[in-house]
Amino acid sequence: MNIRKLWEHEAPPFELLLLADPSRELVEEYLAIGECRVAEMAGDIVGVYVLARLDMETMEIMNIAVDEQMQGQGIGRKLIGDAIQTARELGYQSLEIGTGNSSIGQLALYQKCGFRMEGVIKDFFIDNYDEAIFEDGIQCRDMVRLAMEL
Ligand code: ACO
């Protein structure tokens, strides 16, 4: 598997990006401010993430997704490893990520990768999304913020 920057004129893999965030508007905002990197296997894009600068010292993984058929095979972990390496090489001191209170698997993955919980933005998903989101019977209301030192 090869992880690379999206080429300048290549279309972003929206189908994948929308798995991580149902708002196309927000996804387009992330793409406008961040760098899109993709995981490629045998010529197919199987994963994606968007890395953006938050401030002079911090980058954030704004969106990360793996093709549904390919999940659970370590690709997400490799994408996060690539984000850590990229942010480090660019000289940033910390990396952040945010996810919903109901995203249990994602919270597990991010902590396994070294992120620690930093805070909660209450009602983020109520205030920023038109439709209610449920995962595993839990309403997604709050954004859990996680961070790691690089
Ligand atoms: N409980 C405990 N551990 C879990 C759970 C769970 N419910 N779910 C996953 N994990 C662990 C796995 O055990 C594995 O750990 P291991 O390597 O120690 O075995 C790890 O998390 C999963 O690793 P990968 O196989 O690398 O993950 P995957 O390739 O499936 O990618 C991802 C993870 C990106 C979250 C993928 O499932 C996905 O695309 N989901 C839909 C989109 C999404 O929710 N994106 C994130 C939204 S938040 C944001 O974008 C900032």
Side-chain angles (χ1 to χ4, degrees):
M1 191 182 70
N2 174 40
I3 301 177
R4 62 165 173 86
K5 192 176 166 181
L6 195 75
W7 298 317
E8 206 176 325
H9 299 295
E10 189 177 7
F14 272 104
E15 214 172 297
L16 286 181
L17 291 159
L18 291 167
L19 284 179
D21 192 323
S23 164
R24 184 159 178 132
E25 203 181 320
L26 285 180
V27 168
E28 282 176 356
E29 275 180 31
Y30 306 149
L31 288 167
I33 60 164
E35 173 173 313
C36 182
R37 291 177 65 82
V38 292
E40 203 172 36
M41 267 169 107
D44 292 326
I45 291 179
V46 295
V48 63
Y49 75 90
V50 180
L51 189 64
R53 175 188 181 279
L54 274 191
D55 58 41
M56 299 271 283
E57 296 182 348
T58 315
M59 293 202 98
E60 175 169 350
I61 299 174
M62 309 296 291
N63 181 304
I64 179 165
V66 170
D67 184 312
E68 280 173 304
Q69 311 295 320
M70 306 293 286
Q71 290 175 8
Q73 297 175 34
I75 298 171
R77 221 178 230 273
K78 288 199 177 111
L79 288 171
I80 292 172
D82 185 78
I84 294 168
Q85 193 186 329
T86 305
R88 249 188 213 138
E89 282 170 7
L90 290 169
Y92 286 86
Q93 279 155 35
S94 60
L95 183 63
E96 295 192 6
I97 194 162
T99 194
N101 60 282
S102 50
S103 298
I104 306 301
Q106 290 80 344
L107 286 166
L109 168 62
Y110 303 153
Q111 291 178 88
K112 283 181 178 182
C113 289
F115 286 95
R116 293 186 63 184
M117 292 190 192
E118 281 264 310
V120 175
I121 305 176
K122 285 210 165 172
D123 289 326
F124 178 87
F125 293 95
I126 306 283
D127 296 341
N128 290 283
Y129 292 80
D130 294 337
E131 313 243 318
I133 304 165
F134 282 85
E135 291 174 292
D136 294 324
I138 307 168
Q139 186 169 6
C140 181
R141 303 172 62 101
D142 309 318
M143 182 190 276
V144 181
R145 301 287 311 169
L146 299 101
M148 75 163 73
E149 296 303 313
L150 294 171

